[in-house]
């Protein structure tokens, strides 16, 4: 009797584990809309994925720019944040219109990777915020420039290609500005020698 009960419990346990091991529905807004776009977008998958990533990244830049204006210590950081809000809000509006014309659904919230960046800066203020934010902006804009360069050369849809090419100079200017501020903050922190 005990053996039969033991076997039954083991079987139930394995069945329960098998049911729970099925893949869970993702809660990443980027992945969710990419799945929708696989069947609805009128552009190739690479083009729609570029638009989706650009939308999530653009929303992150605006949110972080607002944080820089509120939590930054240096006026340069506050000014850089204001530029991010202005330029990325404009690009986001152009991106929304382009996506709508291509039947591409964009995320309404940040994707997991971009949300991680926002979460990382929450709670930081002053000099600690400035350094973390500008480090993030240098790295993020390096990635953005690469992605937009690729899209401006490789996108199959001419409108997507044109959007990437038009936005690229602004992203390069952001990267250059972030590098200058990054260097200035690091020089300010360096110990002075006689």
């Amino acid at each position: 009797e005990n053996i039969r009960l033991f076997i039954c419990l083991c079987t139930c346990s394995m069945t329960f584990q098998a049911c729970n091991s099925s893949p869970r529905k993702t809660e990443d807004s980027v992945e969710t809309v990419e799945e929708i776009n696989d069947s609805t977008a009128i552009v190739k998958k690479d083009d729609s994925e570029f638009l989706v990533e650009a939308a999530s990244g653009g929303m992150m830049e605006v949110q972080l720019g607002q944080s820089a204006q509120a939590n930054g210590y240096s006026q340069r950081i506050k000014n850089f944040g204001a530029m991010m809000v202005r330029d990325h809000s404009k690009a986001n509006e152009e991106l929304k219109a382009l996506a709508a014309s291509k039947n591409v659904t964009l995320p309404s919230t940040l994707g997991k990777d971009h949300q991680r960046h926002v979460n990382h800066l929450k709670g930081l203020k002053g000099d600690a915020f400035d350094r973390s934010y500008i480090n993030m902006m240098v790295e993020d804009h390096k990635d953005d420039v690469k992605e937009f360069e690729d899209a401006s050369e490789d996108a199959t849809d001419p409108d997507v290609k044109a959007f990437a090419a038009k936005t690229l100079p602004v992203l390069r200017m952001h990267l250059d500005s972030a590098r200058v501020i990054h260097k200035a903050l690091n020089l300010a922190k360096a110990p002075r020698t006689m």
Side-chain angles (χ1 to χ4, degrees):
E1 189 68 46
N2 284 342
I3 291 177
R4 204 176 301 166
L5 179 61
F6 177 75
I7 292 171
C8 182
L9 286 174
C10 287
T11 304
C12 289
S13 174
M14 285 187 265
T15 303
F16 181 75
Q17 284 178 342
C19 290
N20 276 345
S21 67
S22 62
R24 287 187 175 181
K25 247 335 202 184
T26 179
E27 291 181 25
D28 186 348
S29 62
V30 167
E31 290 178 13
T32 300
V33 296
E34 284 176 350
E35 288 174 16
I36 293 167
N37 290 330
D38 286 346
S39 60
T40 62
I42 57 174
V43 294
K44 294 209 180 219
K45 183 174 179 154
D46 286 347
D47 290 359
S48 70
E49 287 179 354
F50 164 73
L51 295 176
V52 167
E53 281 294 326
S56 179
M59 286 188 291
M60 179 194 75
E61 296 292 359
V62 171
Q63 283 186 27
L64 291 180
Q66 291 166 340
S67 293
Q69 291 174 286
N71 300 323
Y73 176 72
S74 155
Q75 190 59 46
R76 291 178 88 170
I77 292 291
K78 291 176 183 285
N79 293 345
F80 185 85
M83 180 174 64
M84 293 297 99
V85 171
R86 182 187 65 241
D87 293 350
H88 283 280
S89 292
K90 181 176 185 265
N92 291 350
E93 289 306 312
E94 293 171 9
L95 177 58
K96 284 178 192 172
L98 173 60
S101 74
K102 305 299 177 181
N103 208 30
V104 172
T105 302
L106 297 178
S108 58
T109 59
L110 298 179
K112 283 183 180 177
D113 291 339
H114 293 123
Q115 187 61 53
R116 250 192 300 274
H117 290 309
V118 171
N119 293 345
H120 173 74
L121 290 177
K122 275 186 183 164
L124 294 180
K125 294 202 182 296
D127 189 59
F129 177 91
D130 287 6
R131 291 181 191 285
S132 292
Y133 174 67
I134 208 64
N135 286 341
M136 188 179 292
M137 289 297 97
V138 169
E139 293 308 312
D140 183 62
H141 280 86
K142 281 184 198 173
D143 293 343
D144 289 348
V145 166
K146 173 78 174 103
E147 288 169 16
F148 276 72
E149 282 174 345
D150 290 349
S152 71
E153 294 168 10
D154 302 333
T156 54
D157 184 272
D159 297 328
V160 173
K161 188 180 263 196
F163 170 76
K166 177 185 175 192
T167 309
L168 196 49
V170 176
L171 294 173
R172 286 183 176 136
M173 185 264 295
H174 291 169
L175 176 57
D176 291 344
S177 297
R179 284 177 167 154
V180 168
I181 296 168
H182 182 266
K183 185 174 182 180
L185 287 178
N186 283 334
L187 287 175
K189 187 179 180 184
R192 301 192 190 273
T193 56
M194 296 273 177

